[in-house]
């Protein structure tokens, strides 16, 4: 209702007319559903929508590129369990946001991409409208659900459907198409108010059947060498205490996937992170909670898993996930909160611990590997290698466990994931299931905005480049984000040469001696360049204490990395030796 809930645009008054319009209905529908933060890039036909959202008290953050606004929305979905909203203009803005929508869907994060679009009559006859595109058709295969609202009285239903689709069942990305004409459609204010829908119980609990829980516990009871794997679905579920109880009560060693790190502190005595190879190979029963057995777990087969026969128990909200790669002996379908509760109930008070032989074997492997790593983390080489630099950042997080860690790159990602311990749930956001370069600044902004906590973004120099312009956004909103660019002058390494000896440098290298820190200074942020672990530690602590937008150019030995980081085995190489021109 124009008069009461949403201020009007400058110069407009409708005090005497009891009407509302598409603009106001979109805002009222979002607010009714407690959605108050929007990540956007303005332009036709949504410029005024953004202005009016801001005037209505919503927080609307403008980005420099829709992809980054989209990654912010995806990260916000993961952190809050509510759909993160990205708002864009038509065709090119929509397409820029679409990568992030697909990323959200792939990662099971709830997100809604709302895009303005051109007029249906012109688009459907392909008559060449401004930014013409059949956006709904393009979006459909890349997200969980896609809707278009043509009439103002359907705005409430459209937004309700989008919210429910994003968060219920397996969460994911939803597209909502709002043609320009919708915004100016005027309807009676009372009718408008009545048309709004407050979504009740958007993500209803899904209770697992008793049979499935009993079956899972029967399988678990037979285990000689059990293992629990926790995935980012377990982090998303916000069932932190019950998950910790399940792990501790069962006494089973557990392995967190990268974004599940911190569900229990990585220093927990049952953590098998540092004995990953051993537990995957030798375990005989594996209970997977909120993780897919996809490429990140070598599809549950092959040399990674060794030749010990295995039985899998899988806890997931998506029934179709079961048996996707290997046979699941005990599928437990339901939401993780309910499933873990039922498992705990079923375990009773005297659940037998796994044999001390198995626990000790895992524990001693962990201790050996942690000790082996420790000396490497203390090296003070100048320029730094990955271990020296990450050794100090590991301490930063240990001392500031509430800070949120954003992490992307190849070596920069793979080393940081194993080296930096996390202590609390949902404190690590990274490249996700696709290994996307570019999630960095959008995720950092969402983390700061949604949680109010300080953010440390550890970025490969290539990775940073995909969203680097958003440091202006970080400065504009004065967010407590410290970006550390691991500057090894390139992708994987900065040493490659052009095989022809020609003038162009190799395909994987960047300008040598770049000073990324200068970039943030252009926008009033703090820039620092460091070469040694000691300097890095000093700079990061200063940034985290000050809460000021900061970019630290961390010079890393350009020969320290390896091709594709830890996944070089997935990189196809030509069998033909030497290529003639
Ligand atoms: P990771 O990358 O950490 O291994 P994945 O993204 O592969 O994790 O898997 C996450 C899984 O969690 C998905 O299969 C998804 O269906 C599931 N999931 C997400 N939220 C919930 C929830 N609330 N309850 C149960 N399962 C969930
Ligand atoms: N484009 C996108 C969107 N995602 C990708 N994953 C890639 C390209 C390919 N790619 C990787 O998989 S890692 C990477 C690219 C370009 C950059 C690695 O370089 P970096 O990290 O500087 O970020 P390191 O520390 O030098 O290895
Ligand atoms: Mg690099």
């Amino acid at each position: 209702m124009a008069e009461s809930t949403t201020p009007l645009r400058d110069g407009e008054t409708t005090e005497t007319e009891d009407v509302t319009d598409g603009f106001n209905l979109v805002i009222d529908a979002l607010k009714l559903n407690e959605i108050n933060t929007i990540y956007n890039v303005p332009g036709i036909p949504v410029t005024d929508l953004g202005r009016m959202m801001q005037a209505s008290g919503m927080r609307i953050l403008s980005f420099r590129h829709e992809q980054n606004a989209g990654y912010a929305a995806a990260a916000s979905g993961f952190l809050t369990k509510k759909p993160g909203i990205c708002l864009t203009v038509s065709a090119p803005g929509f397409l820029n946001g679409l990568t992030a929508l697909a990323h959200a869907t792939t990662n099971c994060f709830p997100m809604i991409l709302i895009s303005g679009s051109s007029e249906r009559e012109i688009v459907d006859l392909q008559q060449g409208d401004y930014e013409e595109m059949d956006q709904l058709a393009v979006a459909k295969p890349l997200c969980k659900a896609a809707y278009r609202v043509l009439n103002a009285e359907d705005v409430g239903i459209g937004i309700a459907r989008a919210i429910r689709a994003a968060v219920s069942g397996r969460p994911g990305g939803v597209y909502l198409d709002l043609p320009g004409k919708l915004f100016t459609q005027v309807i009676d204010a009372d009718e408008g108010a009545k048309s709004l829908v407050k979504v009740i119980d958007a993500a209803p609990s899904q209770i697992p059947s008793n049979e499935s829980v009993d079956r899972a516990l029967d399988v678990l009871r037979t285990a000689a060498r059990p293992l629990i794997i926790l995935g980012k679905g377990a982090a998303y579920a916000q069932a932190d205490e019950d998950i910790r109880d399940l792990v501790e009560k069962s006494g089973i060693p557990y392995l967190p996937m990268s974004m599940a790190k911190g569900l229990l502190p990585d220093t927990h005595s049952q953590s098998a992170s540092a004995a990953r190879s051993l537990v995957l190979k030798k375990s005989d029963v594996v209970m997977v909670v909120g993780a897919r057995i996809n490429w990140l777990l070598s599809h549950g087969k092959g040399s990674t898993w060794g030749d010990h026969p295995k039985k899998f128990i899988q806890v997931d909200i998506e029934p179709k996930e079961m048996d996707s790669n290997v046979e699941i002996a005990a599928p437990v379908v339901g939401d993780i909160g309910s499933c873990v509760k039922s498992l705990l109930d079923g375990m009773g008070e005297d659940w037998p611990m796994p044999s001390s032989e198995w626990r000790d074997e895992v524990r001693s492997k962990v201790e050996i590997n942690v000790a082996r790593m420790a000396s490497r983390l203390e090296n003070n080489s100048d320029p730094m290698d990955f271990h020296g630099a990450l050794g100090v950042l590991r301490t930063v997080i240990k001392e500031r466990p509430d800070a949120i860690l954003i992490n992307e790159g190849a070596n920069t990602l793979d080393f940081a994931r194993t080296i930096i311990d996390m202590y609390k749930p949902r404190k690590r956001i990274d490249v996700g299931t696709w290994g996307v370069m570019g999630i960095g600044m959008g995720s950092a902004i969402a983390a700061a905005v949604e949680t109010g906590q300080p953010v440390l973004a550890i970025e490969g120099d290539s990775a940073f480049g995909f969203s680097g312009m958003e440091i202006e956004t970080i400065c504009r909103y004065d967010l407590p984000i410290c970006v550390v660019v691991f500057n090894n002058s390139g992708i994987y390494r900065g040493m490659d040469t052009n095989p022809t000896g020609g003038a162009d440098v190799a395909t994987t290298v960047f300008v040598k001696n770049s000073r990324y820190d200068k970039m943030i200074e252009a926008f009033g942020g703090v820039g620092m360049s460091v070469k040694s672990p000691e300097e890095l530690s000093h700079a990061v602590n200063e940034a985290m204490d000050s809460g000021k937008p900061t970019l630290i150019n961390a010079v890393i030995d350009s020969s320290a990395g390896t091709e594709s980081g830890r996944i070089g085995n997935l990189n196809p190489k030509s069998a033909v030796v030497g290529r003639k021109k």
Side-chain angles (χ1 to χ4, degrees):
M1 279 177 292
E3 287 170 290
S4 54
T5 53
T6 312
L8 294 157
R9 287 168 286 166
D10 275 355
E12 267 196 8
T13 48
T14 57
E15 288 118 60
T16 52
E17 298 168 48
D18 221 357
V19 293
T20 186
D21 63 7
F23 283 116
N24 285 288
L25 287 164
V26 170
I27 293 167
D28 292 343
L30 290 169
K31 290 179 85 170
L32 181 65
N33 286 290
E34 282 151 26
I35 292 178
N36 292 305
T37 305
I38 309 283
Y39 301 96
N40 102 120
V41 175
I44 296 171
V46 298
T47 316
D48 264 4
L49 181 62
R51 287 196 182 111
M52 293 168 71
M53 283 172 160
Q54 191 169 52
S56 80
M58 296 175 87
R59 182 130 204 233
I60 171 145
L61 295 118
S62 287
F63 281 66
R64 305 300 293 258
H65 191 293
E66 292 86 353
Q67 196 174 94
N68 305 318
Y71 289 139
S76 125
F78 169 68
L79 291 170
T80 64
K81 250 183 144 178
K82 293 201 304 195
I85 311 286
C86 174
L87 174 66
T88 81
V89 304
S90 15
F94 155 77
L95 286 172
N96 284 345
L98 199 54
T99 314
L101 186 69
H103 160 81
T105 309
T106 299
N107 284 279
C108 316
F109 299 157
M111 164 181 172
I112 304 174
L113 174 66
I114 302 180
S115 295
S117 60
S118 356
E119 305 315 336
R120 295 308 319 154
E121 298 82 344
I122 308 179
V123 174
D124 289 347
L125 274 171
Q126 297 174 35
Q127 293 173 311
D129 202 358
Y130 170 70
E131 295 189 348
E132 174 182 298
M133 174 177 269
D134 187 356
Q135 295 167 200
L136 187 69
V138 173
K140 257 184 196 158
L142 296 169
C143 57
K144 201 178 156 190
Y147 307 106
R148 176 185 290 135
V149 180
L150 290 175
N151 300 315
E153 52 268 35
D154 293 331
V155 164
I157 285 289
I159 286 180
R161 296 209 77 184
I163 292 171
R164 216 177 256 291
V167 297
S168 60
R170 170 182 276 175
V174 175
Y175 175 60
L176 188 64
D177 193 81
L178 303 181
K181 247 193 234 173
L182 174 78
F183 296 116
T184 52
Q185 274 180 40
V186 172
I187 61 170
D188 175 76
D190 286 339
E191 289 300 309
K194 274 190 227 141
S195 73
L196 300 181
V197 176
K198 179 153 175 70
V199 180
I200 310 295
D201 197 11
S205 343
Q206 290 183 225
I207 318 279
S209 72
N210 292 337
E211 294 91 310
S212 72
V213 172
D214 292 347
R215 190 186 298 119
L217 292 173
D218 287 347
V219 172
L220 204 54
R221 232 177 251 119
T222 65
R225 293 178 304 280
L227 171 68
I228 294 175
I229 296 181
L230 301 174
K232 59 170 129 57
Y236 172 81
Q238 298 194 13
D240 308 337
E241 273 183 35
D242 284 341
I243 289 172
R244 196 173 56 224
D245 285 354
L246 178 74
V247 171
E248 291 182 342
K249 199 166 164 184
S250 70
I252 299 175
Y254 74 96
L255 198 60
M257 302 300 286
S258 68
M259 284 176 64
K261 277 164 69 78
L263 257 172
L264 292 88
D266 280 333
T267 46
H268 195 282
S269 63
Q270 285 168 258
S271 168
S273 285
R276 188 176 194 273
S277 310
L278 176 120
V279 291
L280 291 182
K281 280 201 174 73
K282 290 208 170 168
S283 53
D284 62 351
V285 170
V286 184
M287 179 154 79
V288 184
V289 183
R292 285 164 288 185
I293 307 176
N294 57 13
W295 72 278
L296 286 154
L297 285 170
S298 307
H299 305 281
K301 324 178 247 230
S303 56
T304 310
W305 289 86
D307 19 281
H308 287 271
K310 292 195 205 293
K311 282 190 176 162
F312 287 92
I313 301 165
Q314 186 162 23
V315 179
D316 205 290
I317 203 157
E318 176 57 67
K320 290 203 300 288
E321 191 54 41
M322 306 299 156
D323 307 320
S324 59
N325 284 269
V326 288
E327 181 184 283
I328 303 299
V332 183
V333 175
D335 73 276
I336 285 170
S338 304
C339 293
V340 170
K341 265 201 180 69
S342 303
L343 287 163
L344 276 169
D345 287 348
M347 284 164 77
E349 287 313 312
D350 47 2
W351 183 262
M353 289 273 146
S355 71
S356 56
E357 196 186 337
W358 173 236
R359 284 182 290 147
D360 292 349
E361 186 180 358
V362 176
R363 197 67 219 145
S364 60
K365 187 73 184 172
V366 166
E367 279 162 15
I368 290 168
N369 286 346
V370 167
R372 194 173 286 157
M373 178 79 91
S375 57
R376 299 185 69 188
L377 298 179
E378 276 161 25
N379 88 67
N380 215 17
S381 317
D382 177 354
M384 297 175 278
D385 61 14
F386 288 95
H387 288 85
L390 289 165
V392 303
L393 297 180
R394 175 181 202 258
T395 306
V396 169
I397 293 295
K398 186 175 179 185
E399 290 170 353
R400 302 168 195 269
D402 285 316
I404 298 189
L405 180 67
I406 310 296
N407 190 199
E408 59 176 337
N411 293 280
T412 305
L413 174 88
D414 292 344
F415 285 118
R417 185 181 52 227
T418 43
I419 292 171
I420 300 184
D421 289 331
M422 304 307 298
Y423 299 85
K424 296 194 175 182
R426 293 172 297 286
K427 294 293 186 184
R428 186 185 153 89
I429 300 178
D430 65 29
V431 298
T433 303
W434 268 348
V436 179
M437 297 301 114
I439 53 90
M441 297 304 101
S443 305
I445 291 168
V449 166
E450 301 291 348
T451 71
Q453 297 292 341
V455 177
L456 176 63
I458 305 180
E459 302 273 312
D461 49 352
S462 165
F464 172 69
F466 286 74
S467 67
M469 193 63 209
E470 301 299 344
I471 55 175
E472 187 276 329
T473 312
I474 292 172
C475 292
R476 186 165 13 106
Y477 295 110
D478 195 22
L479 297 171
I481 297 174
C482 171
V483 182
V484 179
V485 176
F486 272 28
N487 185 353
N488 62 350
S489 304
I491 297 177
Y492 315 137
R493 299 156 67 86
M495 310 282 288
D496 292 357
T497 51
N498 178 339
T500 68
D504 287 349
V505 296
T507 57
T508 51
V509 307
F510 299 149
V511 169
K512 305 264 179 244
N513 305 316
S514 301
R515 291 287 302 274
Y516 290 96
D517 50 308
K518 299 276 183 199
M519 291 172 65
I520 200 163
E521 289 175 0
F523 308 112
V526 179
M528 290 185 257
S529 188
V530 301
K531 280 185 159 165
S532 68
E534 209 175 305
E535 287 172 7
L536 176 63
S537 171
H538 189 260
V540 175
N541 280 307
E542 191 180 311
M544 302 294 279
D545 285 342
S546 74
K548 286 189 194 144
T550 302
L551 194 154
I552 299 166
N553 180 60
V555 181
I556 302 285
D557 180 352
S558 60
S559 68
T562 55
E563 175 97 359
S564 303
R566 294 262 173 94
I567 53 171
N569 59 315
L570 300 179
N571 195 22
K573 290 278 180 192
S574 172
V576 182
V577 182
R579 158 95 199 155
K580 297 206 177 66
K581 269 193 188 173

